[in-house]
Amino acid sequence: TNNFAYEETLKYFKGDDLAARVWVTKYALKDSDGNIYEKTPDDMHHRIASEIARVEKKYPNPLSETEIFDLIKNFKYIIPQGSPMTGIGNNFQIASLSNCFVIGNGNDSDSYGSIMKIDEEQVQLMKRRGGVGHDLSYIRPKGSAVKNSALTSTGLAPFMERYSNSTREVAQDGRRGALMLSVSINHPDSEDFINAKLEQGKVTGANISVRIDDEFMKAVKSASEYVQKYPVFSKNPKFSKTIYAEELWKKIVYNAWKSAEPGILFWDTIIKESLPDCYADLGFETISTNPCGEIPLCPYDSCRLIAINLYSYVENPFTKKAKFNFELFRKHAAYAQRMMDDIIDLEMEKIDAILEKINSDPENEEIKHTERHLWEKIRKKTLQGRRTGVGITAEGDMLAALNLRYGSKEANDFSVEVHKNLALSAYRSSVEMAKERGAFEVYNAEREKNNPFVLRIKEADENLYQEMVKYGRRNIALLTIAPTGSTSLMSQTTSGIEPVFLPVYKRRRKVNPNDKDVKVDFIDEVGDSWEEYIVFHHHFKTWMQANGYDTSKKYSNEEIQELIEKSPYHKATSNDIDWMSKVEMQGAIQKWVDHSISVTINIPNEATVELVNDLYIKAWEVGCKGVTVYRDGSRSGVLVAADDKK
Ligand code: UDP
């Protein structure tokens, strides 16, 4: 890459090499010859602001380009995530602006043809960027009859490897495709599914999650039998198998403890709370989620993501006068919702360009058929629902800056207040847009009137509810909390609703041991070499500065430890928070998020299987829609505790 440009990039990020590299490799505008056209994120933010402003002009009361630029510049307030950040106004790539897609077959269609069609659709979507999820519950179980030369079927597990391999084959300019495979616990092969990744090197290209229903959880708690069926939940199954729920549950918990997977999706909670499922008969039946789990989706729907940087609403951070500016936050939440809706119009232009490319390709019609049909289905669903993904990042830094300890009751209550304000502002904005731009195509107040999320809105703001019934809403579902992996590296904050990993830690960077001047500190199990360097969490430094500590001084390990103990990050890191309290926080926040929340509970290496069991059961009881755990060391990661001598 161009060195001169990199110097400027590094200056923009004030010497934060990781942030600068992530930005250049993943998001800066570049062509297929490797020429980079943006030197700093300012260039990118102008590109994005100009495109969103172009859409705003089509509608009443438009936001100006300057207003939009001021909202997104420096990753300060509103951050379009991943796909929209790279894709908006980017004419070098014919790609989608969606971060997430779900695809799928009808329940009665598990022929080889359907299974291979999903394989093709998956790569067609991944090559246009964005993560993909699909559910395997429709595939007939192992040992059931087939009318071909095999006579009995292989079950669903072998197909997992196929989809995983396809994912690994698709590159996405600096990132890889990401895949979610899910299955219902009601499927007779669900045990094979949860074991598929235990063997080293298997299904490494997919995240896997099990859809768990309330009946199964009740059977676990009462140590009773549970009947698996195919087709799943059929009243008239072709195949059924009686199992002890507790035995299968123990295997799930053990695998999660051992290898961080499978993730859990509490499916009845997801469906009961889902607004799109009020329109299930119109094609909005939720069947799986995107790769990190924050967006449950119906087949051929998509979602684009924006994150609001919560830290930036704290005035006088880390001082006694620290205060959260709710008024500014509510205003921006409404703008974020509008910008998300604008991005759907931009996505329509992108989909049209993709379709035009397919149609003008000299490729044979028979081969183009699946791809064309796929994008037509996605186009239709996107317009029918106009789904959006407004979320947040920096919850952990926000709490610390307000002198609230992550995991404490005070902090949890404050977080719920923030997410309630976010939800009400976004919904109000979507209702205002329904007045100015029209409601989503299938909106029907009668269908939604008993939905628990809608009832919560009604109870909190009767007037908003009445306006919604009268004018409708622009978007079928609005909110989410994504992991904000690379987003938070660039905003230099904690990610999503997670606590800080550690205020001071070591990070590993993969290096080529044959290069000049490299320092190899660690060689992993596959023989790759890594360099390690000490990193101060950005807002830990802000705390130091606000409290008169010299950040340029070299501190000993003991001194660092003393500093941490004085800071609001003490006992508030992913390793030393109260995990049960974190699960309660997630459940309470979930009440104000209409999609889902991507969360990983980080537990230490010595944590027991029982702890994972208790956390999962708690998550179900407090109304979480999904949960994953990561036990330190259960996979090789890039972050290491600073006092780790490995
Ligand atoms: N995603 C993806 N590939 C990646 C990272 C993310 O397809 O390498 C998709 C996936 O659907 C995920 C969503 O983007 O659930 C959001 O991920 P994240 O919040 O980490 O996005 P980022 O901050 O990296 O933009």
Side-chain angles (χ1 to χ4, degrees):
T1 59
N2 184 324
N3 278 327
F4 169 69
Y6 189 67
E7 287 303 308
E8 275 201 40
T9 313
L10 199 57
K11 208 164 106 201
Y12 174 96
F13 284 104
K14 301 195 171 62
D16 183 341
D17 184 50
L18 180 66
R21 274 170 201 267
V22 167
W23 181 74
V24 174
T25 52
K26 295 189 177 177
Y27 304 111
L29 187 69
K30 53 179 101 55
D31 64 21
S32 49
D33 295 327
N35 297 309
I36 300 178
Y37 298 91
E38 289 171 339
K39 287 183 179 164
T40 75
D42 278 342
D43 297 335
M44 171 183 83
H45 287 135
H46 279 297
R47 155 167 64 86
I48 296 172
S50 128
E51 282 291 283
I52 294 180
R54 180 166 67 79
V55 176
E56 280 283 319
K57 281 194 204 120
K58 297 197 300 190
Y59 299 112
N61 309 310
L63 284 168
S64 72
E65 184 175 335
T66 314
E67 284 173 297
I68 297 165
F69 181 75
D70 287 344
L71 288 167
I72 61 179
K73 79 171 172 202
N74 297 337
F75 308 97
K76 187 166 180 193
Y77 295 118
I78 298 177
I79 313 172
Q81 277 187 248
S83 300
M85 189 151 44
T86 335
I88 293 177
N90 180 344
N91 295 324
F92 291 116
Q93 298 180 1
I94 302 177
S96 155
L97 302 180
S98 295
N99 308 68
C100 335
F101 298 93
V102 159
I103 53 181
N105 283 318
N107 283 340
D108 50 358
S109 167
D110 75 334
S111 62
Y112 267 122
S114 320
I115 292 170
M116 301 304 147
K117 188 196 72 171
I118 292 293
D119 196 22
E120 172 169 7
E121 289 184 339
Q122 193 190 291
V123 296
Q124 293 293 10
L125 288 177
M126 284 174 180
K127 86 175 190 212
R128 304 281 176 209
R129 212 181 23 241
V132 179
H134 53 95
D135 187 78
L136 304 181
S137 307
Y138 71 99
I139 299 175
R140 79 191 71 178
K142 186 169 67 189
S144 49
V146 285
K147 292 196 184 80
N148 65 24
S149 59
L151 295 179
T152 62
S153 88
T154 59
L156 57 77
F159 295 108
M160 298 169 75
E161 187 70 352
R162 158 180 296 277
Y163 296 131
S164 156
N165 287 337
S166 298
T167 305
R168 296 172 62 91
E169 284 158 11
V170 190
Q172 294 177 343
D173 175 31
R175 45 210 271 173
R176 295 253 130 220
L179 175 67
M180 167 66 80
L181 295 175
S182 64
V183 81
S184 168
I185 196 73
N186 199 247
H187 193 285
D189 287 355
S190 52
E191 184 173 343
D192 292 346
F193 179 91
I194 62 153
N195 286 336
K197 293 188 75 163
L198 283 186
E199 196 183 326
Q200 269 254 316
K202 286 280 183 211
V203 198
T204 51
N207 299 337
I208 63 168
S209 284
V210 226
R211 297 167 27 176
I212 292 199
D213 52 276
D214 289 349
E215 194 192 325
F216 180 84
M217 289 309 286
K218 286 177 194 151
V220 169
K221 292 199 83 177
S222 61
S224 41
E225 290 178 343
Y226 175 82
V227 185
Q228 293 181 319
K229 296 171 184 165
Y230 182 81
V232 292
F233 300 112
S234 165
K235 292 207 171 61
N236 197 3
K238 291 183 192 140
F239 191 100
S240 67
K241 185 170 152 192
T242 302
I243 58 159
Y244 281 104
E246 209 186 352
E247 273 174 28
L248 183 52
W249 174 253
K250 278 188 179 151
K251 288 177 183 159
I252 292 171
V253 169
Y254 177 80
N255 288 6
W257 173 85
K258 176 114 176 101
S259 70
E261 280 191 290
I264 299 279
L265 299 166
F266 292 115
W267 203 249
D268 284 333
T269 309
I270 288 180
I271 299 299
K272 195 172 66 208
E273 289 272 331
S274 162
L275 278 160
D277 282 85
C278 301
Y279 306 88
D281 58 320
L282 302 177
F284 281 95
E285 183 186 352
T286 302
I287 61 150
S288 191
T289 77
N290 71 328
C292 306
E294 70 275 17
I295 310 275
L297 284 167
C298 57
Y300 306 103
D301 208 350
S302 59
C303 198
R304 291 135 296 272
L305 306 173
I306 264 184
I308 302 178
N309 183 349
L310 292 179
Y311 174 80
S312 300
Y313 299 90
V314 182
E315 293 169 352
N316 304 307
F318 299 108
T319 69
K320 290 208 170 67
K321 287 194 299 185
K323 196 168 154 267
F324 191 82
N325 187 339
F326 272 101
E327 204 183 306
L328 186 67
F329 175 62
R330 284 192 289 261
K331 193 168 143 193
H332 286 185
Y335 288 151
Q337 184 59 36
R338 262 176 84 144
M339 286 162 59
M340 280 263 74
D341 191 66
D342 295 338
I343 292 173
I344 295 171
D345 285 14
L346 296 174
E347 173 76 328
M348 282 302 128
E349 296 176 6
K350 295 284 183 187
I351 295 179
D352 287 344
I354 293 170
L355 281 166
E356 200 182 301
K357 166 90 173 65
I358 298 167
N359 290 333
S360 61
D361 230 327
E363 190 80 78
N364 155 344
E365 277 305 312
E366 200 177 311
I367 288 177
K368 294 203 282 194
H369 179 79
T370 301
E371 189 184 8
R372 181 192 294 129
H373 195 54
L374 166 68
W375 285 104
E376 281 166 354
K377 285 185 285 188
I378 285 171
R379 189 181 198 288
K380 181 162 173 233
K381 216 18 96 46
T382 310
L383 276 181
Q384 269 185 326
R386 303 192 70 91
R387 192 191 290 264
T388 65
V390 171
I392 57 93
T393 190
E395 185 101 27
D397 280 335
M398 169 194 77
L399 292 173
L402 290 165
N403 302 306
L404 293 168
R405 186 189 309 282
Y406 191 106
S408 66
K409 173 149 192 336
E410 256 186 307
N412 287 3
D413 291 347
F414 186 80
S415 287
V416 171
E417 205 45 40
V418 167
H419 289 277
K420 180 177 173 182
N421 271 274
L422 171 56
L424 293 173
S425 306
Y427 267 72
R428 187 164 280 289
S429 172
S430 191
V431 170
E432 288 302 315
M433 282 193 286
K435 290 185 202 169
E436 295 179 350
R437 308 177 176 192
F440 68 90
E441 276 178 26
V442 294
Y443 178 75
N444 178 338
E446 191 58 26
R447 281 176 177 258
E448 296 183 349
K449 70 174 190 222
N450 297 320
N451 173 279
F453 192 85
V454 163
L455 291 176
R456 239 168 265 138
I457 299 251
K458 186 177 177 189
E459 201 193 321
D461 189 341
E462 177 72 32
N463 168 278
L464 167 59
Y465 177 73
Q466 292 307 339
E467 292 252 305
M468 183 158 85
V469 169
K470 191 163 167 200
Y471 298 102
R473 181 170 79 240
R474 180 71 168 160
N475 315 92
I476 193 165
L478 281 61
L479 307 159
T480 187
I481 298 178
T484 62
S486 47
T487 304
S488 62
L489 291 177
M490 290 179 292
S491 59
Q492 299 169 306
T493 61
T494 54
S495 58
I497 63 164
E498 302 292 350
V500 68
F501 172 69
L502 284 171
V504 184
Y505 56 96
K506 273 195 265 181
R507 187 171 260 283
R508 287 180 184 153
R509 179 164 57 212
K510 207 189 258 185
V511 290
N512 181 347
N514 303 323
D515 282 355
K516 261 201 310 205
D517 303 328
V518 305
K519 186 166 125 298
V520 176
D521 297 303
F522 175 72
I523 298 178
D524 67 14
E525 64 275 13
V526 296
D528 284 338
S529 304
W530 302 76
E531 178 194 338
E532 292 179 345
Y533 51 103
I534 295 276
V535 182
F536 277 70
H537 175 64
H538 188 77
H539 288 307
F540 180 68
K541 269 201 223 159
T542 316
W543 169 81
M544 286 172 72
Q545 279 153 357
N547 290 275
Y549 297 102
D550 181 358
T551 52
S552 58
K553 191 185 138 184
K554 269 222 172 298
Y555 290 92
S556 70
N557 275 352
E558 291 70 34
E559 284 170 330
I560 288 177
Q561 217 40 52
E562 274 171 35
L563 280 176
I564 292 173
E565 278 171 29
K566 287 183 190 147
S567 81
Y569 291 103
H570 179 51
K571 295 248 180 266
T573 73
S574 52
N575 267 309
D576 62 13
I577 51 157
D578 173 346
W579 303 293
M580 285 296 167
S581 164
K582 181 181 174 181
V583 171
E584 278 166 11
M585 170 195 184
Q586 185 192 338
I589 289 175
Q590 184 65 71
K591 302 277 181 299
W592 294 105
V593 179
D594 56 8
H595 286 109
S596 191
I597 303 178
S598 172
V599 183
T600 302
I601 310 171
N602 285 280
I603 53 177
N605 185 268
E606 61 276 14
T608 61
V609 179
E610 286 66 42
L611 175 66
V612 176
N613 177 71
D614 296 350
L615 288 168
Y616 273 10
I617 293 202
K618 181 80 170 183
W620 175 60
E621 288 170 347
V622 299
C624 295
K625 290 185 180 177
V627 65
T628 49
V629 294
Y630 175 80
R631 188 171 57 93
D632 191 22
S634 61
R635 287 186 194 171
S636 51
V638 291
L639 303 181
V640 205
D643 55 5
D644 185 314
K645 297 283 178 320
K646 250 189 306 211

